[in-house]
Amino acid sequence: MGLHPYDYGDARSLMSCLHCGGKPDSKDHNPSRIFLDKNIRTGLDPDDLPVVGLCRSCNSFFSVDEPYLACLVEAARTGVAEPDDRWRPKARVALAHNRKLQRILKEAKQQLPNETIWRVDTVRVDRVARKLAVGHAAFELHDPPYCEPSLVSLFPLHTLRSAHRNHFETVPELPGYPEVGSRALFRMFEDYPSQDENGWIVIQPGRYRYMAVGSGNLAMVRMVLSEYLGIEVIWNDGEPLEAPEYNPDQMSFDFYSGFS
């Protein structure tokens, strides 16, 4: 069986660590399995996940922040810091073995008269958002951005107004095409089982989906975690961009429990 053209791009993205440029002595699933559920019948983690090259140091560095975000999303989604049956089993296990994270979540919870909010460690969440976005850009566009993002936005989906939600859910039209031979280009002309009718790549229904588009110096990745947290990362050749109306403060925010 011959190679698909995007296999060459995959090989290129595995030649060095996406984050420091060092030796890629480990491979990273993108998204990390902490954000996904095990198969109910087999008890196994999902297979055939996107894989990118990382060095062991960067991989270890991010592995501390990803359980934090996964458990924070579950706490905000369910409204409780102490895991119960509403929490995903994998997140429950991760929290049970991490007393420091248990304390952090309890301290993050603020009960107001009419709602519960969760104070967010924006530095840690920002690191995970960028890490996931760079991985998706490398896997889909075969041209991983090495400059700082022009914009990083995060928001609970249920806080968006209808027009803003529609904007976020719609694949933007960019001038030009993705890199020749990239997975993103082939997705425009071939049918992919993992891609839904709206153009999102669904890794696991209800748990994780993303889209990645790019043309020239512009690249954009959007992600949704547990149908609760929306993330948008944009690179525009290092040029700053105005924050979207649905998240004008960019990284200054809280997580709100409940759904509208």
Side-chain angles (χ1 to χ4, degrees):
M1 183 176 177
L3 290 174
H4 195 286
Y6 57 62
D7 289 325
Y8 297 100
D10 288 346
R12 188 176 66 186
S13 69
L14 293 171
M15 290 177 62
S16 62
C17 175
L18 288 179
H19 302 284
C20 73
K23 180 181 178 181
D25 46 13
S26 70
K27 293 182 180 180
D28 182 59
H29 293 101
N30 203 80
S32 300
R33 289 170 173 168
I34 187 65
F35 298 115
L36 307 173
D37 295 332
K38 291 186 177 183
N39 186 292
I40 297 177
R41 292 177 299 171
T42 65
L44 300 176
D45 284 312
D47 55 8
D48 296 328
L49 295 177
V51 174
V52 295
L54 263 68
C55 68
R56 294 186 185 278
S57 177
C58 287
N59 208 348
S60 177
F61 177 72
F62 289 115
S63 67
V64 177
D65 293 326
E66 289 172 321
Y68 165 76
L69 179 57
C71 290
L72 181 63
V73 167
E74 285 304 292
R77 186 180 67 84
T78 62
V80 295
E82 299 78 18
D84 58 17
D85 290 340
R86 290 172 292 177
W87 273 53
R88 297 191 297 114
K90 190 175 289 187
R92 288 204 307 266
V93 172
L95 189 63
H97 291 86
N98 192 328
R99 291 186 177 181
K100 182 178 180 180
L101 185 52
Q102 294 173 20
R103 175 179 55 79
I104 290 174
L105 285 185
K106 288 180 180 179
E107 294 175 352
K109 183 178 181 179
Q110 295 189 12
Q111 187 65 55
L112 303 181
N114 298 317
E115 61 187 357
T116 301
I117 65 173
W118 304 82
R119 301 300 298 177
V120 175
D121 186 333
T122 55
V123 173
R124 299 183 72 177
V125 174
D126 179 66
R127 281 198 293 254
V128 177
R130 293 174 184 231
K131 180 253 189 184
L132 293 171
V134 168
H136 291 317
F139 190 76
E140 295 294 327
L141 306 175
H142 289 166
D143 188 19
Y146 292 106
C147 61
E148 284 291 303
S150 302
L151 180 69
V152 179
S153 297
L154 300 98
F155 36 82
L157 287 182
H158 68 277
T159 64
L160 298 184
R161 297 177 181 176
S162 178
H164 300 153
R165 179 66 180 267
N166 290 337
H167 171 80
F168 179 74
E169 295 286 353
T170 303
V171 178
E173 295 184 5
L174 301 181
Y177 292 94
E179 181 176 312
V180 174
S182 68
R183 188 173 275 100
L185 182 65
F186 279 95
R187 288 189 190 278
M188 298 176 68
F189 302 102
E190 297 181 1
D191 293 328
Y192 280 78
S194 61
Q195 196 164 2
D196 69 13
E197 59 185 11
N198 297 316
W200 286 82
I201 300 157
V202 181
I203 298 296
Q204 191 173 68
R207 286 292 163 253
Y208 196 100
R209 56 189 172 98
Y210 73 92
M211 68 168 71
V213 297
S215 176
N217 294 324
L218 179 63
M220 186 204 72
V221 176
R222 290 174 179 165
M223 298 155 280
V224 175
L225 280 62
S226 289
E227 294 303 317
Y228 174 84
L229 180 63
I231 303 174
E232 181 178 77
V233 181
I234 300 176
W235 293 267
N236 187 32
D237 201 22
E239 294 295 325
L241 294 175
E242 182 178 352
E245 184 179 348
Y246 47 72
N247 189 26
D249 295 325
Q250 296 187 48
M251 288 301 300
S252 176
F253 64 95
D254 298 314
F255 283 2
Y256 292 78
S257 291
F259 294 86
S260 59

mmCIF file of all heavy atoms in Angstrom, residues 147-165:
data_model
loop_
_atom_site.group_PDB
_atom_site.id
_atom_site.type_symbol
_atom_site.label_atom_id
_atom_site.label_comp_id
_atom_site.label_asym_id
_atom_site.label_seq_id
_atom_site.Cartn_x
_atom_site.Cartn_y
_atom_site.Cartn_z
ATOM 1 N N CYS A 147 5.718 31.111 15.637
ATOM 2 C CA CYS A 147 5.635 32.418 16.273
ATOM 3 C C CYS A 147 4.543 32.399 17.344
ATOM 4 O O CYS A 147 3.775 31.447 17.447
ATOM 5 C CB CYS A 147 5.339 33.505 15.244
ATOM 6 S SG CYS A 147 3.754 33.293 14.378
ATOM 7 N N GLU A 148 4.490 33.444 18.135
ATOM 8 C CA GLU A 148 3.461 33.559 19.159
ATOM 9 C C GLU A 148 2.095 33.739 18.495
ATOM 10 O O GLU A 148 1.996 34.391 17.446
ATOM 11 C CB GLU A 148 3.746 34.762 20.063
ATOM 12 C CG GLU A 148 4.852 34.549 21.067
ATOM 13 C CD GLU A 148 4.444 33.544 22.126
ATOM 14 O OE1 GLU A 148 3.427 33.762 22.801
ATOM 15 O OE2 GLU A 148 5.151 32.529 22.265
ATOM 16 N N PRO A 149 1.033 33.179 19.079
ATOM 17 C CA PRO A 149 -0.303 33.411 18.507
ATOM 18 C C PRO A 149 -0.657 34.886 18.528
ATOM 19 O O PRO A 149 -0.244 35.629 19.430
ATOM 20 C CB PRO A 149 -1.221 32.604 19.432
ATOM 21 C CG PRO A 149 -0.338 31.646 20.149
ATOM 22 C CD PRO A 149 0.995 32.301 20.262
ATOM 23 N N SER A 150 -1.412 35.309 17.537
ATOM 24 C CA SER A 150 -1.911 36.674 17.521
ATOM 25 C C SER A 150 -3.108 36.832 18.455
ATOM 26 O O SER A 150 -3.392 37.932 18.922
ATOM 27 C CB SER A 150 -2.326 37.053 16.093
ATOM 28 O OG SER A 150 -1.242 36.926 15.197
ATOM 29 N N LEU A 151 -3.770 35.714 18.742
ATOM 30 C CA LEU A 151 -4.974 35.769 19.579
ATOM 31 C C LEU A 151 -5.233 34.401 20.186
ATOM 32 O O LEU A 151 -5.131 33.381 19.511
ATOM 33 C CB LEU A 151 -6.184 36.183 18.733
ATOM 34 C CG LEU A 151 -7.527 36.300 19.453
ATOM 35 C CD1 LEU A 151 -7.514 37.493 20.404
ATOM 36 C CD2 LEU A 151 -8.670 36.452 18.452
ATOM 37 N N VAL A 152 -5.532 34.374 21.487
ATOM 38 C CA VAL A 152 -5.977 33.173 22.177
ATOM 39 C C VAL A 152 -7.260 33.521 22.923
ATOM 40 O O VAL A 152 -7.244 34.413 23.776
ATOM 41 C CB VAL A 152 -4.921 32.645 23.170
ATOM 42 C CG1 VAL A 152 -5.451 31.395 23.892
ATOM 43 C CG2 VAL A 152 -3.613 32.336 22.468
ATOM 44 N N SER A 153 -8.354 32.864 22.588
ATOM 45 C CA SER A 153 -9.640 33.123 23.229
ATOM 46 C C SER A 153 -10.208 31.839 23.801
ATOM 47 O O SER A 153 -10.130 30.784 23.176
ATOM 48 C CB SER A 153 -10.649 33.706 22.222
ATOM 49 O OG SER A 153 -10.207 34.949 21.726
ATOM 50 N N LEU A 154 -10.773 31.924 25.002
ATOM 51 C CA LEU A 154 -11.420 30.786 25.647
ATOM 52 C C LEU A 154 -12.714 31.255 26.279
ATOM 53 O O LEU A 154 -12.792 32.373 26.804
ATOM 54 C CB LEU A 154 -10.515 30.165 26.723
ATOM 55 C CG LEU A 154 -9.168 29.624 26.261
ATOM 56 C CD1 LEU A 154 -8.065 30.646 26.514
ATOM 57 C CD2 LEU A 154 -8.848 28.315 26.979
ATOM 58 N N PHE A 155 -13.739 30.390 26.261
ATOM 59 C CA PHE A 155 -15.046 30.802 26.774
ATOM 60 C C PHE A 155 -15.935 29.587 26.956
ATOM 61 O O PHE A 155 -15.898 28.648 26.156
ATOM 62 C CB PHE A 155 -15.719 31.776 25.801
ATOM 63 C CG PHE A 155 -15.439 31.458 24.359
ATOM 64 C CD1 PHE A 155 -16.165 30.498 23.682
ATOM 65 C CD2 PHE A 155 -14.410 32.097 23.697
ATOM 66 C CE1 PHE A 155 -15.879 30.185 22.368
ATOM 67 C CE2 PHE A 155 -14.108 31.783 22.373
ATOM 68 C CZ PHE A 155 -14.858 30.824 21.715
ATOM 69 N N PRO A 156 -16.742 29.558 28.019
ATOM 70 C CA PRO A 156 -17.777 28.530 28.123
ATOM 71 C C PRO A 156 -18.794 28.731 26.995
ATOM 72 O O PRO A 156 -19.297 29.843 26.801
ATOM 73 C CB PRO A 156 -18.402 28.798 29.502
ATOM 74 C CG PRO A 156 -17.359 29.564 30.251
ATOM 75 C CD PRO A 156 -16.668 30.402 29.221
ATOM 76 N N LEU A 157 -19.072 27.685 26.256
ATOM 77 C CA LEU A 157 -19.944 27.824 25.081
ATOM 78 C C LEU A 157 -21.325 28.351 25.440
ATOM 79 O O LEU A 157 -21.917 29.119 24.677
ATOM 80 C CB LEU A 157 -20.087 26.469 24.376
ATOM 81 C CG LEU A 157 -18.884 25.961 23.581
ATOM 82 C CD1 LEU A 157 -19.225 24.641 22.918
ATOM 83 C CD2 LEU A 157 -18.443 26.981 22.536
ATOM 84 N N HIS A 158 -21.840 27.957 26.603
ATOM 85 C CA HIS A 158 -23.218 28.340 26.917
ATOM 86 C C HIS A 158 -23.352 29.813 27.269
ATOM 87 O O HIS A 158 -24.459 30.314 27.422
ATOM 88 C CB HIS A 158 -23.769 27.481 28.062
ATOM 89 C CG HIS A 158 -23.123 27.724 29.383
ATOM 90 N ND1 HIS A 158 -21.939 27.142 29.750
ATOM 91 C CD2 HIS A 158 -23.501 28.489 30.433
ATOM 92 C CE1 HIS A 158 -21.614 27.534 30.968
ATOM 93 N NE2 HIS A 158 -22.547 28.349 31.406
ATOM 94 N N THR A 159 -22.225 30.543 27.370
ATOM 95 C CA THR A 159 -22.297 31.975 27.639
ATOM 96 C C THR A 159 -22.354 32.802 26.356
ATOM 97 O O THR A 159 -22.549 34.016 26.419
ATOM 98 C CB THR A 159 -21.072 32.428 28.463
ATOM 99 O OG1 THR A 159 -19.871 32.230 27.696
ATOM 100 C CG2 THR A 159 -20.972 31.636 29.768
ATOM 101 N N LEU A 160 -22.189 32.155 25.196
ATOM 102 C CA LEU A 160 -22.201 32.885 23.929
ATOM 103 C C LEU A 160 -23.625 33.230 23.508
ATOM 104 O O LEU A 160 -24.551 32.437 23.681
ATOM 105 C CB LEU A 160 -21.552 32.051 22.821
ATOM 106 C CG LEU A 160 -20.079 31.670 22.980
ATOM 107 C CD1 LEU A 160 -19.609 30.930 21.731
ATOM 108 C CD2 LEU A 160 -19.210 32.884 23.243
ATOM 109 N N ARG A 161 -23.765 34.391 22.932
ATOM 110 C CA ARG A 161 -25.022 34.740 22.292
ATOM 111 C C ARG A 161 -25.179 33.920 21.014
ATOM 112 O O ARG A 161 -24.206 33.407 20.472
ATOM 113 C CB ARG A 161 -25.064 36.236 21.978
ATOM 114 C CG ARG A 161 -25.013 37.127 23.213
ATOM 115 C CD ARG A 161 -24.974 38.591 22.816
ATOM 116 N NE ARG A 161 -24.898 39.459 23.980
ATOM 117 C CZ ARG A 161 -24.772 40.780 23.920
ATOM 118 N NH1 ARG A 161 -24.706 41.387 22.732
ATOM 119 N NH2 ARG A 161 -24.706 41.497 25.029
ATOM 120 N N SER A 162 -26.400 33.846 20.521
ATOM 121 C CA SER A 162 -26.689 32.989 19.373
ATOM 122 C C SER A 162 -25.816 33.334 18.161
ATOM 123 O O SER A 162 -25.236 32.448 17.523
ATOM 124 C CB SER A 162 -28.164 33.099 18.994
ATOM 125 O OG SER A 162 -28.453 32.316 17.854
ATOM 126 N N ALA A 163 -25.684 34.608 17.851
ATOM 127 C CA ALA A 163 -24.898 35.011 16.675
ATOM 128 C C ALA A 163 -23.430 34.661 16.853
ATOM 129 O O ALA A 163 -22.763 34.218 15.910
ATOM 130 C CB ALA A 163 -25.057 36.509 16.432
ATOM 131 N N HIS A 164 -22.921 34.832 18.064
ATOM 132 C CA HIS A 164 -21.517 34.513 18.326
ATOM 133 C C HIS A 164 -21.285 33.009 18.283
ATOM 134 O O HIS A 164 -20.251 32.545 17.802
ATOM 135 C CB HIS A 164 -21.095 35.070 19.691
ATOM 136 C CG HIS A 164 -21.237 36.555 19.795
ATOM 137 N ND1 HIS A 164 -21.454 37.204 20.990
ATOM 138 C CD2 HIS A 164 -21.209 37.526 18.839
ATOM 139 C CE1 HIS A 164 -21.536 38.510 20.772
ATOM 140 N NE2 HIS A 164 -21.395 38.717 19.483
ATOM 141 N N ARG A 165 -22.256 32.247 18.763
ATOM 142 C CA ARG A 165 -22.129 30.793 18.721
ATOM 143 C C ARG A 165 -22.123 30.312 17.272
ATOM 144 O O ARG A 165 -21.322 29.436 16.899
ATOM 145 C CB ARG A 165 -23.277 30.145 19.496
ATOM 146 C CG ARG A 165 -23.266 28.612 19.502
ATOM 147 C CD ARG A 165 -22.070 28.046 20.264
ATOM 148 N NE ARG A 165 -22.050 26.593 20.264
ATOM 149 C CZ ARG A 165 -22.586 25.835 21.229
ATOM 150 N NH1 ARG A 165 -23.187 26.400 22.272
ATOM 151 N NH2 ARG A 165 -22.515 24.527 21.160
#
